[in-house]
């Protein structure tokens, strides 16, 4: 067991915290320790005092996360509350904290007439999660806007990095290991003026095509080159297919919804069933976009 209890921190430490409370799928096992820091200094002190062998997992809004029933050993850090800063730095530049919801980033940038920024409105996660995933929608992607990032490492030290230090692809980002995002400098484009109307119509389109009232993690699989996962899943006859309480959405085949008290095991089994069926029917191996973490049930 880690020495988290002995650390002198101001933030909140919870033991065996059910991650079902912190994921948009509303499913999943517990975090051994769930830490909500009171400030960045508090977070630094906590990290500096942790045993080197204690696993650390960073939680944003949990909108792309499946935590297996056996839960997450070590520490889950949930720092979104202390990282909600958003400042306009110069004409086209803003500094956004990693805990800021992307929806708030979009709305404020639209008020500031900074675009393209509407696409952030449809992403129900944090800026940190968007940086980790290179989240995108409607032709826009997070890292197209990144000028620099500020991170914290496993020892609690703070760093600045340029985009060139990361390898960024479609829903994939790799960079300095064992570091997490604290904030990003984002740069928007001269002459691209976004509008609330355009944002609202993108959100309306989502409402019409996605099962937004039900617990999900958005698109489960990345789109394969030149095709759409939703099309392949629908054509394989999987819409409405259920395992336990988990169901392939009738409205959008790349969404798996928690229809009725689904466990993480139900959801993971359904992900695997969809992957296998699409491979058998179409010969395409879908790769999941959602992050699947934690231990299998004992
Ligand atoms: C209804 C719905 C619609 C969606 N639509 C879209 C969409 O259009 N486009 C899209 O790209 N995604 C979409 N998503 C998926 C999800 O919202 C994004 O992937 C989002 O970026 C995840 O952010 P989060 O804060 O919830 O991250 P989490 O789910 O909490 O974490 C995801 C990963 O990011 C890591 N992470 C989180 N914060 C940090 C940090 N500060 N530093 C380092 N790593 C971090 C976590 O460790 C984890 O590995 C949708 C989800 C839902 C539920």
């Amino acid at each position: 067991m880690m020495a988290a209890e002995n650390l002198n921190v101001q933030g909140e430490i919870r033991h065996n915290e059910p991650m079902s409370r912190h994921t948009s799928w509303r499913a999943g096992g517990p975090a051994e320790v769930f830490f909500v820091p009171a400030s960045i200094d508090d977070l630094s002190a906590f990290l500096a005092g942790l045993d080197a062998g204690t696993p650390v997992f960073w939680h944003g809004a949990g909108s792309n996360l499946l935590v297996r029933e056996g839960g997450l050993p070590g520490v889950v850090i949930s720092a979104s509350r202390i990282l909600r800063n958003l400042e306009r730095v110069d004409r086209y530049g803003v500094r956004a904290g990693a805990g800021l919801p992307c929806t708030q980033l979009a709305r404020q940038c639209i008020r500031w007439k900074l675009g393209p920024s509407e696409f952030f409105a449809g992403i129900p996660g944090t800026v940190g999660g968007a940086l980790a995933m290179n989240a995108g929608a409607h032709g826009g992607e997070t890292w197209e806007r990144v000028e620099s990032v500020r991170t914290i490492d496993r020892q609690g030290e703070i760093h600045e990095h340029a985009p060139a230090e990361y390898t960024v692809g479609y829903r994939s980002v790799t960079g300095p290991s064992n570091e997490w995002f604290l904030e990003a400098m984002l740069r928007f484009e001269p002459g691209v003026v976004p509008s609330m109307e355009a944002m609202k119509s993108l959100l309306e389109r989502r409402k019409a095509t996605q099962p937004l009232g039900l617990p999900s993690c958005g698109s489960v699989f990345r789109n394969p080159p030149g095709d759409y996962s939703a099309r392949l899943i629908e054509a394989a006859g999987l819409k409405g297919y259920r395992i336990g309480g988990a169901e392939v959405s009738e409205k959008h085949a790349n969404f798996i919804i928690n229809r009725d008290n689904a466990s993480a095991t139900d959801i993971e089994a359904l992900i695997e069933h969809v992957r296998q069926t699409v491979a058998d029917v179409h010969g395409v191996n879908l790769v999941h976009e959602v992050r699947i973490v934690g231990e299998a049930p004992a």
Side-chain angles (χ1 to χ4, degrees), residues 24 57-65 83 98 102 122-137 171 179-182 206 210 212 216-219 255 289 291 293:
S24 58
F57 182 80
W58 196 287
H59 171 260
S63 66
N64 210 31
L65 212 54
L83 299 171
C102 290
I123 298 166
T126 60
V127 166
L131 290 167
M133 299 299 308
N134 192 23
R171 303 294 173 268
E179 290 186 21
W180 301 280
F181 300 107
L182 293 178
R206 278 178 178 260
Q210 300 179 355
L212 295 188
S216 81
C217 257
S219 292
F255 278 50
E289 168 186 328
R291 297 280 171 97
V293 295

Side-chain angles (χ1 to χ4, degrees), residues 276-292:
Q276 189 60 59
T277 307
V278 167
D280 292 346
V281 172
H282 302 291
V284 177
N285 198 10
L286 295 182
V287 176
H288 58 81
E289 168 186 328
V290 293
R291 297 280 171 97
I292 303 177

Side-chain angles (χ1 to χ4, degrees), residues 23-55:
T23 57
S24 58
W25 250 323
R26 303 272 166 254
E32 187 179 358
V33 168
F34 189 84
F35 178 52
V36 184
S39 65
I40 293 180
D41 286 347
D42 191 35
L43 172 59
S44 284
F46 178 85
L47 286 167
L50 269 188
D51 294 348
T54 301

